[in-house]
């Protein structure tokens, strides 16, 4: 993909997150790997006015988050950079304050295997990354730990983050994680859901290989 097509896809992804109710205003951010660099959404720009030329381009090996472009990168550039550096299986990262994920994140409730679709995230539990202030290296370190062997996690008192092999898959995972959070919240209100076994989730992940849904989290 060219730099130009990545930027166009990122704008479309921002609009889709907004239209799907997964993001609001300037909260949330997206990054996409481009060789030794990443393109990342600008800080403090609402998705209804975002444009391809506003994306910041930053080296993945730059410890200081230096960037090219008219706008500074998202304040969350550290965890985007660190996920892309740590995970060769992930080329696109989506972070939002999606409502149902955030409800569980403020309650610090990991999502257990109450639906077989959790297998698409690489294992039987979606963890909650420990709290640290937005934009910090501590938050990034906590997210990397919570995403071990997983394609996504909740972020305590903040929101959620997912990563996929491409932006289309990362967007799909964002919607699936919000659906799981929605289902789990409502199951809790009627006494909690029945939790599938680890073997049942492994069996589902194997089934996905021939169905077309890649189970992730190979790190
Ligand atoms: P940015 O506008 O800097 O991307 O930050 C929004 C956000 O969601 C921080 O977690």
């Amino acid at each position: 993909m060219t730099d130009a097509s990545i930027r166009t896809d990122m704008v479309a992804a921002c609009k889709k997150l907004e239209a799907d109710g997964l993001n609001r205003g300037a909260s949330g951010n997206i990054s996409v790997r481009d060789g030794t660099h990443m393109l990342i959404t600008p800080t403090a720009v609402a998705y209804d006015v975002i444009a391809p030329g506003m994306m910041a381009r930053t080296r993945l090996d730059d410890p200081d988050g230096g960037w090219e472009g008219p706008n500074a990168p998202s304040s969350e550039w550290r965890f985007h950079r660190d996920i892309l550096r740590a995970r060769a299986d992930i080329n696109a990262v989506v972070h939002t304050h999606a409502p149902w994920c955030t409800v569980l994140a403020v309650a610090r409730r990991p999502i257990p295997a109450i639906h077989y679709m959790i297998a698409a995230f690489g294992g039987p539990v979606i963890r909650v990354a420990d709290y640290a202030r937005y934009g910090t290296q501590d938050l990034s370190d906590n997210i990397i730990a919570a995403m071990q062997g997983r394609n996504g996690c909740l972020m305590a008192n903040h929101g959620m983050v997912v990563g996929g092999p491409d932006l289309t898959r990362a967007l799909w995972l964002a919607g699936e994680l919000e659906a799981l959070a929605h289902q789990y919240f409502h199951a809790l209100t009627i006494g909690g859901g029945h939790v599938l076994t680890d073997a049942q989730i492994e069996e589902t992940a194997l089934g996905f290989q021939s169905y077309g849904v890649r189970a992730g989290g190979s790190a």
Side-chain angles (χ1 to χ4, degrees), residues 48-70:
D48 54 349
V49 297
I50 207 159
M54 294 178 179
M55 304 302 163
R57 187 176 168 80
T58 166
R59 288 190 66 86
L60 288 170
D61 65 1
D62 183 345
D64 303 319
W67 78 90
E68 300 159 31

Side-chain angles (χ1 to χ4, degrees), residues 26-29 41-45 73-76 95 97 134 158:
S27 67
N29 21 76
T41 46
T43 188
V45 175
S74 167
S75 55
E76 302 291 18
H95 159 60
H97 302 176
Y134 81 92
H158 188 154

Side-chain angles (χ1 to χ4, degrees), residues 16-24 96-99 160 171 174-175 178:
K16 180 167 167 53
L17 288 175
E18 187 99 28
D20 290 352
L22 296 179
N23 196 59
R24 202 176 55 251
T96 81
H97 302 176
M160 60 86 122
L171 278 179
E178 180 68 344

